[in-house]
Amino acid sequence: MGKAASATLQGDLLSVQPYRDDRDHGPGRTFLLEVKDAALSSVLMSSLSMLDRLLVEKMAAARERHMEEVVDFMTERMLVPSTVEMDMAQRLATRHARVLNEFGYLTAEQLADANRSQAGYRAALAANWRKRRQIFAVPHPEKAARERDVYPAFQFEEHKPIKAVHDVLEAFGAHKAPWKVALWFTSNNGWLPGSARPVDLLTTDSQAVIAAAKRDAQGSAA
């Protein structure tokens, strides 16, 4: 049972001081309620204890719900993945690393430096391009050691966005996750001459790459 709010009846005014935890050093508030007669003051005083019990019960129920949510959250992440899931995750992580190793990547700060950006916020230039869907970023596999988001270097020419990348991103819309977009660019595509990789034709046959993206986007939506 929590501590009740303190109440003092003085003349025709009832002063109610809410309970404050000892650790709470912030300013308290006092409420003054005008009491018309003795009978009303008696009813009001008895109601305070009932109100206090209701508040304590509500707080306990809220804490219990919160605890259940935390337990559910932790339980979901403690499930042991199957061998198949582990194998798939390993292969996918290898593909992600291969993309960054083959084509390299740039950080937002590196793009700002290469373009001589004068913005005080060093990630502003990349963030602006990203917001306009001119480029995309992927989470770096080594999150603990590097920046979370990096920009695959194949989408730039002289450190500026290749226009075809914007058209591809527009074709896919918000349906493709960033790493799936990166893998699409770097995987062989049957819509392209010789089943080439889109990344290899970005500057030499950009219209074919854009057309392939639109066809694949339509297939994904079907």
Side-chain angles (χ1 to χ4, degrees):
M1 180 66 68
K3 296 182 181 179
S6 59
T8 306
L9 186 62
Q10 296 179 341
D12 61 347
L13 291 179
L14 177 68
S15 174
V16 181
Q17 177 67 49
Y19 167 69
R20 196 177 67 177
D21 192 284
D22 292 338
R23 295 169 296 180
D24 181 8
H25 301 294
R29 291 185 298 171
T30 299
F31 304 92
L32 296 178
L33 305 177
E34 184 177 357
V35 181
K36 296 297 185 180
D37 52 41
L40 183 58
S41 68
S42 177
V43 172
L44 186 58
M45 291 295 288
S46 61
S47 298
L48 286 175
S49 60
M50 180 178 67
L51 178 61
D52 179 60
R53 288 196 301 272
L54 290 174
L55 287 174
V56 171
E57 291 172 2
K58 289 291 185 182
M59 291 175 63
R63 282 196 296 268
E64 184 175 352
R65 285 196 302 272
H66 178 67
M67 183 60 67
E68 289 175 353
E69 292 173 359
V70 172
V71 170
D72 290 341
F73 178 85
M74 295 178 65
T75 301
E76 289 175 0
R77 282 147 185 79
M78 290 173 64
L79 292 176
V80 179
S82 67
T83 303
V84 174
E85 290 171 330
M86 287 291 290
D87 182 59
M88 290 177 60
Q90 181 63 43
R91 283 187 284 135
L92 191 58
T94 300
R95 293 182 68 191
H96 292 178
R98 187 177 296 134
V99 169
L100 296 183
N101 289 335
E102 179 178 357
F103 300 100
Y105 59 88
L106 297 164
T107 66
E109 287 73 15
Q110 288 172 329
L111 286 171
D113 292 340
N115 287 277
R116 298 180 181 179
S117 172
Q118 299 300 312
Y121 176 48
R122 304 305 294 152
L125 179 65
N128 185 41
W129 285 342
R130 188 173 176 180
K131 181 179 179 180
R132 295 181 180 183
R133 296 185 64 77
Q134 293 177 276
I135 59 175
F136 69 98
V138 296
H140 195 284
E142 299 177 24
K143 298 182 183 65
R146 302 178 184 274
E147 292 188 25
R148 175 171 171 73
D149 289 339
V150 294
Y151 299 85
F154 62 72
Q155 58 189 322
F156 302 97
E157 189 172 37
E158 296 183 355
H159 296 98
K160 289 182 171 54
I162 296 174
K163 184 181 182 303
V165 172
H166 170 72
D167 295 326
V168 169
L169 295 178
E170 286 295 295
F172 286 124
H175 304 298
K176 245 184 179 11
W179 262 118
K180 288 187 177 180
V181 172
L183 293 175
W184 182 87
F185 272 110
T186 57
S187 300
N188 295 96
N189 193 296
W191 296 113
L192 296 175
S195 294
R197 301 182 303 178
V199 68
D200 296 324
L201 302 179
L202 268 178
T203 56
T204 59
D205 197 355
S206 59
Q207 290 306 310
V209 172
I210 296 168
K214 290 179 179 178
R215 287 185 178 125
D216 283 337
Q218 290 173 354
S220 299

